[in-house]
Amino acid sequence: MPSVRPRLCCRTVADPALAVPHACLAGSMSGGNGAALDPANAPSRGLAESRQERVTLAGVDASSLGLLLSYAYTGEVRICRANVQALLAAADLLDVPPVRQACARFLQSQLDVSNCLGMHCFAEAHACPELQRASLDFALQHFASVWQQEEFGALTSDKLLELLASDRLNAPREETVFQASLAWLNRTADRRQYADKVFELVRFPLMSPYYIHDVVEKQSLISESAICQRLVSEAKDFMLLQDRRGELVSPRTRPRYSSGITEVIIAVGGEDDKVVLRSVECYGPQSGQWKALACLPFAVSKHGLVVSGNTLYMAGGEFPDGLASRDTWRYDPSFDTWQEMAQMNVARSELGLAMLDGFVFAVGGWEGSSRLDSVEGYDPSTNCWQFVAPMRMAVTSPAVVALDGLLYVTGGAVLEDGDGIELVQVYNPKMDTWSEVPPMQIARSGSAACVLKGKIYVIGGWHASTENTNKVECYDPAQNSWHMCAPMIERRYRPGVAVVDGKIYVLGGEEGWDRYHDTIERYDDLTDTWEIVGEMPTSRSWLSCVSIQIHQDIRTSSPGSAEPYGYE
């Protein structure tokens, strides 16, 4: 029989049928278990129970207390569907963890679509973290059925928002999430006040545009709310402006895990210790793994690469024999194929390439004997290149990005030794004119640039004939000013850069003339910090990178095993 603390005085509970000294229960629990029943603790805490002949335990039914008393003597308790919830509540109130945990395990074995939400709330109220986590996981995994159950309609607004916010919510389509949200909101009139918060967690950009037009926009909850109208407008912009999707990133544009869609980085060409590459690989930031894709038809470095939707365009570059290229190629990730398109009007290596308002713009570069100030645009719909207004200053190796309908050409080399400039030239395609914004804080050539949350980041490069740099700076168009960010861990000249899930990834690049990087760094703008997060199959620089969304059935392999890995 479990030991009883001899100094404890006898107390009985209010139910005469259970007139048992509760000191037996308290004394039988070691390590503080049963402390709620220990009368020795009552005087020190100033509790009225220390002066009462009988103690009423509110919230504990007689049968559950009887089972706990039996457990105190025998170390055994019988748990069944009829008693498990009341017994768990009593064990929680009276601080009997072994019984509480056993009840939680029993309830976990009984989870189904009709009870998982109620079980989650019950576990949360009674400090059962494993059951709380398991029931939430079950609800998220079976959401397509769970939302049609009575418990879903009874959810509090906070619990509904918790479900909708999760990337792990498993729904066949985002339209299902909208239907569930609408059903919850329409259950009672007073819930309409939560419409804005609820719909902010529905990922409208991932829906069919026809569904948005035919169903979403016809709901009064949508049409009567300015915030909801903005959400629909955001979704339309994301669908229509495919080459501006990098500027439109938000939590609503991130696919849920169940969609089977993941965002990856495509790395194309480049050179490793002066060996020019024709390799193309896919890197999954979530898995940290690589997959070899269809190689380029030829080896090339110092080229440009852009993406519109999920279509890649590569232009220019330098062949292994040192000649500049006029070629343009289109890559289709669905078929893993490259297709030759119309050539540029001018051969360009060390060019800048950017996608702006449906056109590919090739900026500056080296044509074999001189730097170029010329700029030409490619129209995918007509497969034609056409010159536009030239830059104010000819440059090679600039970092070029598009933002808010403008083309930004940052830095670039202007002298024979490759020294860069601080100049930032801006092209307006609607006016076919060039202007300038405030210069960068340091001169650069061979840097990388990207857009994140409406700001331009310029990363690494060659700094004023002294060294490759790890310095990073950011331009805010709203403030029309530059500021320095945390530097990278490693110095990098001509790295690749891409943005995935709101983070900047920088791949490869040169530390110096005799060292090429194979590392990948990731930048978090919220903490202004960099960290090494992976490795490339081989060290390289002068590569080009973009991020695209693909289906997860495109499997990846381990770092270093991306074969075939094409060399020439």
Side-chain angles (χ1 to χ4, degrees):
M1 177 181 296
S3 62
V4 178
R5 300 173 189 172
R7 64 183 177 83
L8 299 184
C9 60
C10 180
R11 288 289 186 270
T12 58
V13 294
D15 191 333
L18 290 172
V20 179
H22 78 246
C24 295
L25 179 58
S28 69
M29 306 300 172
S30 61
N33 298 338
L37 288 178
D38 191 339
N41 293 331
S44 64
R45 295 181 300 181
L47 299 179
E49 287 85 349
S50 64
R51 300 183 298 274
Q52 295 176 355
E53 289 296 323
R54 291 177 177 270
V55 177
T56 300
L57 299 177
V60 179
D61 66 90
S63 61
S64 296
L65 185 56
L67 290 171
L68 290 177
L69 287 168
S70 175
Y71 170 76
Y73 282 102
T74 66
E76 296 181 353
V77 63
R78 184 176 182 275
I79 301 173
C80 63
R81 290 187 180 185
N83 68 15
V84 61
Q85 286 187 282
L87 183 58
L88 188 151
D92 179 43
L93 179 66
L94 301 178
D95 194 19
V96 190
V99 176
R100 182 178 62 212
Q101 293 163 6
C103 290
R105 289 193 296 271
F106 180 88
L107 287 172
Q108 186 171 332
S109 71
Q110 305 298 309
L111 286 172
D112 61 40
V113 295
S114 67
N115 67 21
C116 57
L117 292 175
M119 206 80 79
H120 172 69
C121 297
F122 179 78
E124 190 174 52
H126 294 289
C128 299
E130 291 187 7
L131 177 60
Q132 182 181 343
R133 184 167 49 252
S135 53
L136 178 60
D137 289 345
F138 189 97
L140 291 170
Q141 179 62 31
H142 299 88
F143 181 81
S145 298
V146 168
W147 80 267
Q148 301 178 62
Q149 307 301 314
E150 186 65 25
E151 282 190 348
F152 182 82
L155 280 177
T156 65
S157 60
D158 288 343
K159 276 299 165 191
L160 175 67
L161 297 178
E162 181 182 351
L163 289 175
L164 298 182
S166 176
D167 288 337
R168 296 184 294 115
L169 188 149
N170 184 14
R173 301 180 306 161
E174 194 65 21
E175 288 85 342
T176 301
V177 181
F178 177 76
Q179 292 169 3
S181 303
L182 195 63
W184 186 91
L185 288 165
N186 286 332
R187 188 178 176 92
T188 59
D190 64 317
R191 290 185 176 180
R192 296 177 70 90
Q193 63 181 308
Y194 301 111
D196 292 348
K197 289 185 177 180
V198 168
F199 287 136
E200 281 184 337
L201 298 176
V202 176
R203 304 181 186 188
F204 292 105
L206 307 183
M207 293 183 186
S208 160
Y210 300 100
Y211 186 86
I212 287 181
H213 179 272
D214 295 342
V215 179
V216 173
E217 291 188 301
K218 290 181 170 55
Q219 303 300 321
S220 60
L221 285 171
I222 298 292
S223 61
E224 295 172 4
S225 166
I227 291 177
C228 292
Q229 285 290 305
R230 176 181 58 79
L231 295 174
V232 171
S233 178
E234 173 192 69
K236 290 181 175 179
D237 287 346
F238 188 80
M239 295 169 185
L240 291 172
L241 308 178
Q242 293 192 19
D243 54 301
R244 291 199 191 183
R245 286 184 174 178
E247 304 172 31
L248 302 173
V249 172
S250 77
R252 288 174 292 279
T253 63
R254 184 173 62 246
R256 300 186 194 271
Y257 299 157
S258 61
S259 69
I261 301 297
T262 187
E263 198 165 12
V264 299
I265 298 171
I266 305 293
V268 176
E271 58 186 55
D272 174 13
D273 194 22
K274 308 307 178 186
V275 177
V276 181
L277 309 173
R278 57 190 293 259
S279 53
V280 180
E281 293 108 3
C282 164
Y283 172 70
Q286 289 185 351
S287 67
Q289 295 182 329
W290 288 85
K291 173 185 171 62
L293 303 178
C295 289
L296 291 167
F298 48 83
V300 69
S301 68
K302 305 177 184 178
H303 53 288
L305 184 72
V306 295
V307 62
S308 179
N310 265 17
T311 301
L312 277 61
Y313 294 92
M314 187 195 78
E318 183 177 290
F319 297 122
D321 60 7
L323 293 178
S325 170
R326 294 175 55 203
D327 291 346
T328 305
W329 289 79
R330 181 175 67 189
Y331 176 73
D332 185 341
S334 299
F335 297 97
D336 191 25
T337 56
W338 289 91
Q339 180 182 4
E340 188 173 12
M341 311 305 290
Q343 290 185 320
M344 293 184 291
N345 293 301
V346 178
R348 303 172 188 267
S349 70
E350 302 185 46
L351 72 160
L353 203 69
M355 194 84 196
L356 173 61
D357 293 352
F359 293 85
V360 180
F361 285 90
V363 178
W366 181 262
E367 50 80 35
S369 60
S370 62
R371 287 186 171 86
L372 299 170
D373 63 1
S374 65
V375 181
E376 50 188 309
Y378 172 75
D379 184 349
S381 66
T382 62
N383 191 32
C384 291
W385 287 91
Q386 184 175 353
F387 283 112
V388 299
M391 291 183 290
R392 294 182 174 184
M393 179 177 290
V395 291
T396 56
S397 299
V400 182
V401 294
L403 176 62
D404 292 335
L406 299 174
L407 194 70
Y408 290 81
V409 181
T410 64
V414 295
L415 300 175
E416 293 303 319
D417 58 7
D419 277 7
I421 54 174
E422 303 95 335
L423 180 68
V424 180
Q425 306 178 73
V426 182
Y427 176 67
N428 185 333
K430 299 176 181 62
M431 305 296 294
D432 193 29
T433 57
W434 286 87
S435 60
E436 298 176 17
V437 296
M440 295 183 291
Q441 296 193 14
I442 65 171
R444 301 171 188 263
S445 68
S447 54
C450 64
V451 172
L452 175 65
K453 300 177 183 177
K455 299 177 182 179
I456 297 172
Y457 289 80
V458 181
I459 301 163
W462 176 259
H463 174 42
S465 74
T466 57
E467 61 179 7
N468 292 339
T469 184
N470 62 353
K471 294 179 180 178
V472 179
E473 54 188 299
C474 174
Y475 174 71
D476 184 349
Q479 302 296 324
N480 194 30
S481 63
W482 292 86
H483 70 269
M484 300 302 294
C485 304
M488 291 183 290
I489 297 170
E490 298 178 316
R491 296 180 297 174
R492 299 176 188 267
Y493 174 72
R494 295 305 309 187
V497 64
V499 176
V500 175
D501 196 21
K503 303 289 191 299
I504 297 174
Y505 288 78
V506 180
L507 297 81
E510 297 178 30
E511 172 80 19
W513 292 110
D514 58 349
R515 183 185 175 196
Y516 287 68
H517 288 302
D518 63 0
T519 54
I520 303 169
E521 291 192 47
R522 181 176 64 195
Y523 176 71
D524 186 336
D525 68 304
L526 299 179
T527 59
D528 191 30
T529 55
W530 290 88
E531 62 177 329
I532 302 288
V533 295
E535 294 181 356
M536 305 181 69
T538 185
S539 56
R540 63 208 283 196
S541 71
W542 290 100
L543 69 160
S544 293
C545 298
V546 295
S547 60
I548 64 170
Q549 292 182 348
I550 63 170
H551 202 274
Q552 289 175 348
D553 60 7
I554 299 180
R555 303 299 179 188
T556 54
S557 55
S558 300
S561 63
E563 299 291 348
Y565 203 81
Y567 295 90
E568 283 194 7

